[in-house]
Amino acid sequence: MSAHPQPHPDSEDFSKLINACLQDGSTFHGRPVLAAHYTAAGDAQQIINNGTIEIGKLENHYYGSDASNNRSERSPMAKWLIENDDNVRQQIDIFNKAWASREPGSGSWLLKNDIFKEWLAGRSQTLWLHGGVGCGKTVLSTFIVQNLRQACRYSTSQRVLHYYCSFRYSSGQEFSFLLRMLLAQICAQNTPSAARNFYNECRVNNPWPLYGMEVGSPPVEQLKSVIRASLIEYHQALRHDLLLAEPKIHESALKQHSCIYLIVDGLDELAIAQLYPALVFMQQLKSLEFLQLLGTSRTQPNIEKKLVEKASWPAIMVDKAAVRHDIELHISNTIDSSELADLGADLQQEIKNTLLTNGEGMFLWVSLQLRHLQSLMVQHPATIRTELKTLPEDLHDTYTRILNRIASSLRPKSMRALRLLALTRRSLSMDELVEACSLHESLLKVPHLIERHPFGPDDINRLLSDLLYLDPPLSIAPSHKCTVTLAHASVQDFLVGNDAISQESNAKKPLLAMGHEGDVRKADIYLGETCLAFLFSYNKPGVRKEDHPFLPYAWFHWDEHLQPQTQQIEARGQNYFRAQAPDIYKQITTDYKHNLHWLPKENEARLLDALDVPYFYPNLGEFQLSDSRFRPTNMRHADRSGQHLWRDTVSEDSYIYQQLHHQNLEIRLLEILPGLSTNTPTTCRLSAFPIKNAPTFDAVSYVWGASTDAHSVFVNGMEIPLRENLARILGNLRHRSETEDGHLWVDAISVNQTDNLERNHQAAIMAKIFSSARRVLISLGAADDGDAEGVANVKTATKRFPHADANELAALRTFVLDPENCITQLFQKPYWSRVWIIQEVVLAKDLTILFGNHSLGLKHLEACFSLLQTTDETGTVRKRFAYRSSPGLDNMLAIMQTRREFRDRGGCDYLDILLRFKHHYASHPADKIFGFMGLTVYNGPAILIDYSQPVGEIYLRATIAIMLHDRNLRVLSYHPVRYLQNGPSWSMQYEMHQQEPVSLLDAAPNYTGVYNAGGELFEVEPPLGDGPLKLKGITVAKLVRKLVTPLADLHPAEGERRIRLVYTAQMQFDSPTTEDAPSRTEISWRTLLAAQSQLGKRLHSFMLGNPVVPPVTLEQAVNPIYAWPDTLRTEHFWGRALFVAQAVDSKMLLLLGPENAEVGDVAVVLFGGAVPFVLRQSGTPEEHTLLGECYIHDFMNGEALNHPGMYAQTFHIV
């Protein structure tokens, strides 16, 4: 046979067809689709003859041209849709095998078919290509796909999408996977916005990202609508490309030259329940005029009724007359390339005539007969003629003959192998099949099920080579990497039947319904019982998957064989662990008792253990069972219900926590091991890594919750108590995919909480940990009523925000703040008021917030922040938020403001952060000092993280460090002087949560720009031991009279009382001595307001809206009370009172100071202090207690530093 076969005369029709399509379209009034942009008809002729045109890697069809060989470069969309590279490889293998089995020159009959020409020309949009089993439909569809792909190689306006349904692979039988692979092809080069938005929506709505559900499985109904929208967008892009190439093209020609081909092969190989929705979907796509649809299948009544009778699809039947020439080519080429070529010409012609006559158009039947003739040990003419006279009638009889040729002693094991491949819920590796075939037929052999002389991989391959498909072949791959499936769907039908054709009068009974099982259902149940017996015998501590390859299949699928199809548990994609995991093992002695006739009653607990724990799982065996340190005796006991009661006999932390090497910045990462049920104990492995070499990990952020330890987890074989919140998180995260990174950093487990030295070190590198994490998972616990609505409304506002004008923004703010929309309740969760979470949110590269089964992403938080942040009249963002009806919302906004500052500046001011979050809660009071270190640009005296120190000492040292770093006394303005119980009066005490005065500096965007009482001087002597803090300053005045207290009791609604207070106060102090000085009325108001507007600016006489600030007349005083209520906001007066003070020059002054000040206390200006302070003498004349800051109108801008008669002195603050 020549290496380059001569063109068959029939192939000239294809060339003519191409030439016709190259015309201007006048010949075909539809689209000139096939090869309309070929450079020469000869290319197509070459494909017809030998298919040698190179048109690029098929992988590019799914991944895109730049990412087919490099998984890391593939888009998240491709990874999500394709899920596993094997799914693409399977499609490519079917294509390559079909193309390789095609004989050069075959398929030309199709090009002469008028119905096909109509479809090819675009006058008919749909086509059903159907025929009997084994007639070569897949080869024909591949022939069409290959030629269309070659045509589109030269076209910028035509594309080909194709998919092979296949019984061999579970994914190949699913309609949802057909949709996913089609969408993957659409997105291979440029992702349509409809697909991208769908991906993002699934990603945002998925509550547990990156753990086998990175984006969540795409819902079928949404997939269908997204594919439709993507096809439309895809086609518009093709039209655009064509217009760029041919700007003057006529609209009619534009329609003719832009189209998308969608070819689905093997519709009948979809699962029965999947077929009908697939047919409905293909019919719905018919409304897209630019789409050319072609489907292939067996000739089945249900498909014919849907496509032809109801939808009027044109149909071409691949009958024996149509393919006679192609089969003849196949026979001739097979004879020429085998030992049959040595036979005489007459006998060769006799073989050809007999097979053509009896083959009834079945390529597969003819191919199997040729292989049988080639396998004859004696190829004598008489022997050949005898075989030709006794050829089997059909494929069923052909398969029966293949089995009958196997020696009777080997036939039971051969049948066992076929039974397994026909009934198992997924394909098996050769090693799995070999072990399963080696099991005794009698389960009474338990626990010694494996026979002494099992089949080997080569034995199975030799005996059943005509019935099996090995991928890859044993000749190029080891047996554990070789997947074994049945060779053809007809073999499956031969073994278990086909419901779609079983009603036909000539349908033959499937083989498994004729054996010792009695029917297929009994054979399925027997396989489930075998799995149970196998697990009982071999799934025990110390076993390895390599020792017993069939264990994983038996453990994960035994119940699917025992239960009817309608009750089976659905698996989640490629995840081994069931999405739903009812405690089947609890029912084992009741519902499945009849399946355990082989099991002595005293061994029931052992079986329950084998069903509960996958001992063969490598991680479990490696860390929990292989090392004696992790196997304390009596560690586990089974109770009567089958649940495990875990008991520790060793409780030392050393079994869990090995010493970290702090110099290497080591951290511990958690791996959650799988479990059959959410009710079984969560089991984990904890391993240490230098943070720079750590595997990809997620950090978990959550509220610790109540200290009651009602839950537990097993870490490195030891039980440790857990609080409820963390137990819930880990319970959900345990159901992850083995293909995804599963490392977590969880503070309560990753850090030895009983080791203060380790806690100190880990707290010091917390910023490094969270900034190194791939993502921060924020768990807010179970969803409350309204959370789902709130999450949906946040997403709605997020979508509208970027495009909103000023009026729409105002409406959106109202929408967000309206309690009826449930948004504010999302931020009332305890999480937002905790200290440690602030650093975790600010440092996160990315984050996902989980409200039960609902979730929000980083973009939603950022949109809320941008929408609700408050600005002053100059556009400056305020440091304080004022959503008093939702303090939790204030907390979230403050955290997001901090995140923005951190990213804009590379760090935050340490004291600013301490003050902003001083009322947040912490499990340990020292967290309020240590919890923000990673966010600051602080470079002053070291604040050593040491939880072993007394809390008071930690706050004291932090106060000194901040003071020395900032070189001012700002820190003294912020401590709750009213509630001091112990420790120095000048030390921060932010562990308290009581209400306290707002600092005079608190509203100012620039703290140093409002007041400057103490000037630029700064002199401080830190305390030695328990000694006092020594500060230099000047005594300004002594308090001589308290006027009205507490000011906070005067609500703005009581405007008349407040006005009277001011006008009463002005009579208590001396009048100004110069004409240009403010009046006593204005001084009174300035003192009451601390000379600040509500925006933190120095108060001047200006109009803000209608009110005059400060008012100087009674009429002006009324307006601010009602027209601008926030002018005198209540928190400004909390803890403050008005006093009359006598200055050192005997002048009477009005003073706003702490309400716990008394007559006789002194007002001083301390060097480096922006405001004056009130001190109380304590002990010696030099010793004073700090009471708090104050406002004195004449001494807020350094006046005391140059005042005659006022002298500097050293104050000992205790």
Side-chain angles (χ1 to χ4, degrees):
M1 184 178 218
S2 64
H4 299 283
Q6 296 300 312
H8 190 279
D10 288 343
S11 67
E12 295 176 3
D13 291 333
F14 187 56
S15 299
K16 292 177 182 178
L17 184 59
I18 293 173
N19 290 327
C21 290
L22 283 170
Q23 304 302 316
D24 60 5
S26 59
T27 302
F28 297 125
H29 299 288
R31 302 183 197 88
V33 285
L34 184 60
H37 300 278
Y38 273 148
T39 56
D43 279 350
Q45 183 73 60
Q46 192 173 2
I47 289 182
I48 276 277
N49 292 332
N50 52 36
T52 58
I53 294 292
E54 173 61 40
I55 60 173
K57 294 182 179 179
L58 279 170
E59 290 90 339
N60 299 347
H61 206 55
Y62 301 90
Y63 298 122
S65 58
D66 298 329
S68 61
N69 293 323
N70 190 342
R71 182 171 176 80
S72 63
E73 294 180 3
R74 294 171 190 166
S75 68
M77 171 77 77
K79 294 179 182 177
W80 173 52
L81 290 171
I82 294 171
E83 195 174 71
N84 189 313
D85 286 344
D86 284 346
N87 294 318
V88 169
R89 183 181 54 77
Q90 290 160 4
Q91 290 288 305
I92 294 173
D93 285 349
I94 296 173
F95 180 96
N96 288 337
K97 184 179 180 183
W99 187 250
S101 63
R102 175 185 166 274
E103 299 295 344
S106 63
S108 57
W109 66 270
L110 184 63
L111 304 178
K112 299 165 67 174
N113 186 285
D114 291 337
I115 297 176
F116 182 74
K117 288 180 181 179
E118 291 285 304
W119 180 81
L120 199 60
R123 291 194 294 270
S124 173
Q125 189 182 358
T126 56
L127 178 61
W128 178 40
L129 190 65
H130 65 101
V133 61
C135 68
K137 298 179 296 295
T138 298
V139 174
L140 275 175
S141 66
T142 302
F143 168 69
I144 297 169
V145 167
Q146 181 75 330
N147 280 280
L148 286 175
R149 292 180 69 236
Q150 178 64 29
C152 293
R153 177 189 182 194
Y154 298 103
S155 170
T156 59
S157 58
Q158 297 173 322
R159 291 293 182 269
V160 182
L161 309 176
H162 61 91
Y163 182 78
Y164 295 97
C165 307
S166 175
F167 83 99
R168 288 199 192 107
Y169 315 107
S170 58
S171 60
Q173 303 175 48
E174 298 175 9
F175 174 47
S176 63
F177 207 78
L178 183 157
L179 297 176
R180 292 171 69 164
M181 294 297 278
L182 290 179
L183 187 56
Q185 294 174 62
I186 296 172
C187 300
Q189 299 300 332
N190 293 299
T191 304
S193 59
R196 187 183 305 109
N197 294 338
F198 176 55
Y199 169 80
N200 291 332
E201 181 181 351
C202 290
R203 184 176 185 271
V204 168
N205 290 333
N206 172 39
W208 298 108
L210 299 181
Y211 291 92
M213 296 175 287
E214 180 172 356
V215 189
S217 296
V220 169
E221 288 305 314
Q222 287 182 261
L223 261 177
K224 289 161 62 177
S225 61
V226 169
I227 287 177
R228 182 183 178 87
S230 297
L231 283 169
I232 293 172
E233 189 174 344
Y234 192 35
H235 176 250
Q236 290 172 345
L238 296 179
R239 283 171 54 92
H240 176 73
D241 291 344
L242 185 56
L243 281 171
L244 289 178
E246 299 287 344
K248 298 181 179 181
I249 190 170
H250 190 271
E251 177 63 25
S252 60
L254 181 63
K255 291 182 180 179
Q256 291 173 351
H257 285 264
S258 59
C259 61
I260 299 172
Y261 304 94
L262 197 163
I263 300 170
V264 180
D265 179 72
L267 287 166
D268 56 294
E269 297 192 31
L270 288 170
I272 294 176
Q274 307 283 312
L275 175 59
Y276 183 78
L279 296 177
V280 171
F281 177 65
M282 292 189 70
Q283 177 58 22
Q284 291 170 343
L285 290 180
K286 188 178 178 182
S287 62
L288 303 178
E289 295 182 354
F290 56 82
L291 200 61
Q292 289 293 109
L293 297 165
L294 188 150
T296 76
S297 74
R298 293 193 220 179
T299 306
Q300 290 185 183
N302 54 343
I303 300 177
E304 182 175 10
K305 182 176 180 180
K306 183 63 182 174
L307 294 184
V308 179
E309 296 178 14
K310 292 188 176 182
S312 302
W313 279 42
I316 298 176
M317 183 174 183
V318 185
D319 56 20
K320 59 182 179 181
V323 297
R324 179 180 177 87
H325 167 66
D326 294 348
I327 292 179
E328 187 175 359
L329 280 176
H330 174 60
I331 296 172
S332 297
N333 290 339
T334 302
I335 291 174
D336 290 347
S337 60
S338 69
E339 294 180 357
L340 297 177
D342 296 334
L343 300 174
D346 292 343
L347 186 54
Q348 291 184 31
Q349 189 61 45
E350 187 176 344
I351 293 174
K352 184 182 300 183
N353 293 338
T354 303
L355 295 182
L356 283 172
T357 301
N358 296 347
E360 297 293 328
M362 289 188 291
F363 268 96
L364 181 57
W365 182 89
V366 170
S367 180
L368 289 171
Q369 310 315 317
L370 286 170
R371 293 179 65 177
H372 171 67
L373 294 176
Q374 293 175 64
S375 68
L376 295 175
M377 296 184 64
V378 178
Q379 291 187 340
H380 189 274
T383 307
I384 296 292
R385 287 189 171 93
T386 300
E387 293 295 329
L388 291 176
K389 292 178 181 179
T390 58
L391 290 176
E393 178 182 348
D394 51 23
L395 286 173
H396 189 284
D397 292 345
T398 299
Y399 297 143
T400 301
R401 184 185 66 181
I402 292 173
L403 290 178
N404 289 337
R405 288 173 54 199
I406 299 174
S408 58
S409 60
L410 302 177
R411 202 172 300 151
K413 288 185 179 179
S414 301
M415 273 300 304
R416 200 178 306 164
L418 293 174
R419 182 171 67 231
L420 284 162
L421 295 173
L423 297 176
T424 48
R425 300 307 192 258
R426 63 166 173 82
S427 55
L428 300 178
S429 72
M430 180 60 85
D431 281 0
E432 288 177 308
L433 181 62
V434 165
E435 181 167 47
C437 287
S438 69
L439 302 181
H440 278 287
E441 286 288 330
S442 173
L443 300 183
L444 296 178
K445 296 288 185 179
V446 166
H448 306 291
L449 277 179
I450 296 178
E451 298 176 345
R452 292 185 179 181
H453 305 291
F455 266 10
D458 291 332
D459 299 324
I460 292 177
N461 189 31
R462 280 193 299 268
L463 290 172
L464 300 171
S465 59
D466 288 337
L467 303 178
L468 303 183
Y469 177 71
L470 277 57
D471 178 27
L474 287 173
S475 58
I476 63 173
S479 57
H480 68 278
K481 292 186 177 182
C482 173
T483 300
V484 188
T485 56
L486 297 175
H488 194 267
S490 58
V491 183
Q492 180 86 3
D493 296 344
F494 166 68
L495 294 170
V496 298
N498 184 327
D499 291 344
I501 59 176
S502 60
Q503 304 303 318
E504 297 179 9
S505 58
N506 61 346
K508 297 184 179 180
K509 197 171 184 180
L511 184 66
L512 295 188
M514 298 185 295
H516 72 278
E517 295 92 349
D519 60 44
V520 176
R521 178 72 192 118
K522 288 184 178 180
D524 205 22
I525 292 173
Y526 178 77
L527 180 53
E529 293 174 350
T530 302
C531 289
L532 286 175
F534 186 73
L535 290 169
F536 173 80
S537 300
Y538 301 109
N539 184 32
K540 57 185 65 174
V543 71
R544 297 186 309 161
K545 184 167 59 175
E546 293 78 8
D547 299 331
H548 293 290
F550 191 61
L551 275 175
Y553 181 88
W555 197 80
F556 291 111
H557 299 282
W558 64 267
D559 56 295
E560 298 176 29
H561 295 284
L562 294 180
Q563 298 180 79
Q565 186 78 18
T566 55
Q567 299 177 13
Q568 289 175 11
I569 300 170
E570 296 182 359
R572 184 175 61 221
Q574 297 298 317
N575 192 349
Y576 277 148
F577 304 99
R578 299 181 174 95
Q580 307 173 42
D583 292 331
I584 299 174
Y585 52 83
K586 286 185 176 180
Q587 309 165 23
I588 195 70
T589 57
T590 55
D591 295 357
Y592 300 115
K593 187 173 182 179
H594 60 283
N595 300 118
L596 303 176
H597 56 86
W598 48 270
L599 182 69
K601 188 173 181 60
E602 61 271 17
N603 288 334
E604 286 179 357
R606 169 71 193 92
L607 176 61
L608 298 181
D609 184 73
L611 300 182
D612 186 17
V613 182
Y615 290 106
F616 56 85
Y617 188 76
N619 287 342
L620 190 67
E622 174 187 330
F623 103 89
Q624 191 176 21
L625 300 170
S626 64
D627 194 320
S628 60
R629 291 178 305 162
F630 305 139
R631 288 185 306 185
T633 57
N634 300 322
M635 188 174 71
R636 300 183 306 140
H637 306 277
D639 68 4
R640 292 180 182 178
S641 69
Q643 288 279 42
H644 279 113
L645 303 178
W646 296 69
R647 297 288 183 266
D648 281 342
T649 58
V650 183
S651 60
E652 288 80 7
D653 291 329
S654 59
Y655 280 97
I656 303 173
Y657 297 108
Q658 302 299 314
Q659 188 73 34
L660 289 176
H661 294 90
H662 297 317
Q663 67 274 19
N664 295 335
L665 297 183
E666 280 193 342
I667 60 173
R668 295 191 190 92
L669 298 179
L670 192 70
E671 290 179 273
I672 308 175
L673 300 181
L676 174 66
S677 166
T678 54
N679 295 324
T680 56
T682 300
T683 308
C684 309
R685 172 170 59 189
L686 195 64
S687 307
F689 303 91
I691 196 167
K692 66 178 180 180
N693 297 326
T696 302
F697 68 95
D698 293 339
V700 180
S701 181
Y702 63 102
V703 176
W704 276 39
S707 59
T708 54
D709 299 319
H711 304 268
S712 64
V713 64
F714 288 85
V715 179
N716 291 0
M718 304 302 297
E719 185 176 22
I720 63 173
L722 282 188
R723 302 187 186 194
E724 181 178 0
N725 288 357
L726 182 54
R728 183 188 300 111
I729 296 168
L730 297 183
N732 283 314
L733 290 178
R734 74 191 300 190
H735 298 288
R736 70 192 189 282
S737 169
E738 292 186 18
T739 62
E740 298 291 344
D741 296 318
H743 291 88
L744 300 170
W745 188 90
V746 185
D747 56 357
I749 299 177
S750 297
V751 180
N752 185 356
Q753 301 295 327
T754 64
D755 185 342
N756 277 334
L757 180 63
E758 180 174 306
R759 287 180 64 195
N760 297 341
H761 177 265
Q762 293 288 288
I765 64 171
M766 199 70 71
K768 183 72 172 174
I769 293 172
F770 274 85
S771 60
S772 299
R774 167 180 54 185
R775 177 178 306 201
V776 174
L777 296 177
I778 297 174
S779 176
L780 301 188
D784 298 323
D785 291 342
D787 280 1
E789 182 181 356
V791 168
N793 286 334
V794 168
K795 293 175 181 178
T796 298
T798 300
K799 290 180 180 179
R800 292 167 54 190
F801 171 68
H803 312 291
D805 57 22
N807 293 332
E808 291 170 328
L809 285 176
L812 279 177
R813 290 190 187 100
T814 302
F815 176 79
V816 169
L817 295 174
D818 187 349
E820 293 296 322
N821 294 325
C822 302
I823 292 177
T824 55
Q825 81 172 45
L826 300 177
F827 303 106
Q828 302 297 339
K829 312 284 186 182
Y831 177 88
W832 302 106
S833 62
R834 307 299 295 188
V835 164
W836 272 113
I837 67 97
I838 297 162
Q839 181 172 242
E840 297 163 3
V841 173
V842 170
L843 294 174
K845 295 176 183 176
D846 191 15
L847 54 84
T848 298
I849 309 169
L850 307 169
F851 304 81
N853 291 326
H854 311 283
S855 66
L856 292 175
L858 177 59
K859 69 175 182 180
H860 300 112
L861 282 190
E862 291 177 336
C864 283
F865 171 72
S866 299
L867 183 64
L868 298 178
Q869 64 182 354
T870 309
T871 60
D872 63 18
E873 71 277 5
T874 66
T876 304
V877 177
R878 288 182 54 185
K879 287 180 177 290
R880 293 175 58 79
F881 298 93
Y883 300 106
R884 296 181 184 83
S885 62
S886 179
L889 186 60
D890 268 354
N891 290 337
M892 184 276 290
L893 294 173
I895 293 171
M896 295 306 293
Q897 171 71 16
T898 304
R899 179 180 171 89
R900 179 169 295 182
E901 291 174 4
F902 181 85
R903 302 224 176 277
D904 290 346
R905 306 173 189 171
C908 303
D909 181 85
Y910 187 32
L911 180 56
D912 194 3
I913 297 299
L914 290 178
L915 298 174
R916 185 176 297 173
F917 301 110
K918 62 183 178 181
H919 290 308
H920 276 55
Y921 287 83
S923 300
H924 192 289
D927 289 343
K928 292 195 176 184
I929 300 298
F930 301 149
F932 304 110
M933 296 295 294
L935 301 179
T936 70
V937 291
Y938 175 84
N939 56 4
I943 299 178
L944 180 65
I945 296 180
D946 185 357
Y947 280 92
S948 65
Q949 294 183 82
V951 173
E953 184 72 13
I954 293 172
Y955 277 85
L956 183 148
R957 292 182 182 278
T959 305
I960 296 171
I962 293 171
M963 201 181 301
L964 295 176
H965 173 264
D966 293 350
R967 295 196 59 76
N968 61 48
L969 302 181
R970 181 164 64 102
V971 67
L972 298 185
S973 291
Y974 301 95
H975 67 293
V977 295
R978 297 178 66 197
Y979 307 102
L980 285 176
Q981 300 175 359
N982 51 56
S985 63
W986 51 269
S987 176
M988 297 183 293
Q989 294 199 18
Y990 299 152
E991 73 272 22
M992 301 178 182
H993 302 289
Q994 294 93 337
Q995 189 171 7
E996 61 188 64
V998 174
S999 168
L1000 299 180
L1001 306 180
D1002 193 49
N1006 183 352
Y1007 291 113
T1008 61
V1010 180
Y1011 313 110
N1012 191 23
E1016 301 303 323
L1017 297 174
F1018 176 70
E1019 295 189 32
V1020 60
E1021 184 178 331
L1024 297 174
D1026 295 331
L1029 173 69
K1030 296 179 182 181
L1031 301 173
K1032 280 196 174 183
I1034 299 171
T1035 299
V1036 173
K1038 178 182 291 188
L1039 279 61
V1040 296
R1041 186 179 300 114
K1042 180 180 288 190
L1043 295 179
V1044 178
T1045 186
L1047 289 177
D1049 292 342
L1050 301 180
H1051 193 273
E1054 303 173 7
E1056 294 297 329
R1057 288 189 58 195
R1058 186 156 291 174
I1059 293 171
R1060 289 194 199 99
L1061 169 64
V1062 173
Y1063 281 89
T1064 300
Q1066 70 182 356
M1067 306 305 297
Q1068 305 297 316
F1069 59 93
D1070 293 337
S1071 300
T1073 57
T1074 60
E1075 292 184 2
D1076 59 347
S1079 67
R1080 286 198 297 183
T1081 299
E1082 184 172 349
I1083 291 174
S1084 300
W1085 277 99
R1086 285 185 179 278
T1087 302
L1088 194 63
L1089 299 175
Q1092 291 188 60
S1093 73
Q1094 67 167 348
L1095 299 174
K1097 300 293 184 66
R1098 288 303 297 270
L1099 196 61
H1100 300 289
S1101 295
F1102 62 91
M1103 294 292 293
L1104 183 60
N1106 188 37
V1108 176
V1109 181
V1112 293
T1113 67
L1114 180 61
E1115 181 180 316
Q1116 293 172 351
V1118 173
N1119 282 337
I1121 299 299
Y1122 298 102
W1124 191 22
D1126 206 35
T1127 302
L1128 302 177
R1129 59 181 190 267
T1130 301
E1131 65 262 31
H1132 181 83
F1133 299 102
W1134 185 272
R1136 290 200 169 96
L1138 280 174
F1139 297 86
V1140 174
Q1142 185 175 18
V1144 293
D1145 60 0
S1146 299
K1147 183 180 179 179
M1148 292 299 181
L1149 307 170
L1150 191 62
L1151 179 147
L1152 180 69
E1155 70 176 11
N1156 60 336
E1158 301 292 344
V1159 172
D1161 296 336
V1162 294
V1164 302
V1165 170
L1166 299 173
F1167 296 167
V1171 296
F1173 295 90
V1174 177
L1175 305 180
R1176 177 174 295 164
Q1177 187 174 347
S1178 175
T1180 66
E1182 295 86 4
E1183 292 182 343
H1184 291 78
T1185 300
L1186 176 65
L1187 299 182
E1189 58 186 3
C1190 66
Y1191 179 91
I1192 313 173
H1193 179 73
D1194 292 330
F1195 293 98
M1196 302 303 292
N1197 294 295
E1199 296 91 342
L1201 303 180
N1202 301 310
H1203 195 287
M1206 293 185 179
Y1207 304 98
Q1209 66 185 99
T1210 300
F1211 297 92
H1212 296 188
I1213 312 299
V1214 296

